[in-house]
Amino acid sequence: MDDMAEIDAKVTVTVCTTCRAGAPTDAEGPRPGARLHDALSGALPDHVRIRPVECLSACSRGCSMVIEGGAERWTYIYGDMDPDTHVPAIVEGVTAYAATTDGVVPWRERPEIFRKQSIARIPPQAPQKSTKEAAE
């Protein structure tokens, strides 16, 4: 596999580091979004890239994050992620997503937070073979 194909297949998790999760924060301490980013940084599989961003404009649903995997996969936006309790489920969901070729993890195999806390999903940029699976 050449370097470009390897980069195209890489999964990226983008975490809003400015999310306050709907609560006042200590001016000296890290915000909940930054804490989520830090917790995931050491927990995600090696082949998954984590990227901080200062705002995802999902402030009413913070902590928020995006999972994407190139032009062939669906992209998902999740909210209401708790940096203190959701990290293991996020890692489980990202790992399952990374194992797919199209970004569609069967509904029952997704962690509960991925089933209930989805803000949006964005179709792949590349043409799809079947839209039925994506709707499930």
Side-chain angles (χ1 to χ4, degrees):
M1 177 183 289
D2 65 42
D3 289 342
M4 190 58 170
E6 191 172 314
I7 290 169
D8 289 344
K10 186 171 267 200
V11 171
T12 300
V13 175
T14 302
V15 178
C16 177
T17 58
T18 56
C19 279
R20 295 176 190 245
T25 57
D26 178 359
E28 299 298 317
R31 292 183 177 185
R35 290 184 15 243
L36 179 63
H37 175 269
D38 292 347
L40 290 172
S41 292
L44 292 170
D46 291 337
H47 61 280
V48 174
R49 185 181 102 157
I50 186 157
R51 179 175 66 146
V53 67
E54 288 194 5
C55 187
L56 288 173
S57 291
C59 302
S60 66
R61 298 289 308 270
C63 298
S64 58
M65 58 180 272
V66 177
I67 302 172
E68 60 186 315
E72 301 288 328
R73 289 187 175 126
W74 283 81
T75 296
Y76 294 86
I77 304 170
Y78 295 104
D80 307 314
M81 297 290 156
D82 185 326
D84 298 321
T85 61
H86 289 156
V87 171
I90 293 169
V91 171
E92 175 189 344
V94 169
T95 302
Y97 176 90
T100 70
T101 57
D102 62 0
V104 178
V105 176
W107 180 258
R108 294 188 195 285
E109 294 176 26
R110 297 175 194 172
E112 184 176 355
I113 60 170
F114 280 18
R115 292 189 307 245
K116 295 188 175 189
Q117 294 167 212
S118 177
I119 295 173
R121 65 185 190 139
I122 301 161
Q125 294 176 13
Q128 295 177 281
K129 292 180 184 174
S130 167
T131 57
K132 182 179 184 230
E133 280 186 83
E136 294 179 311

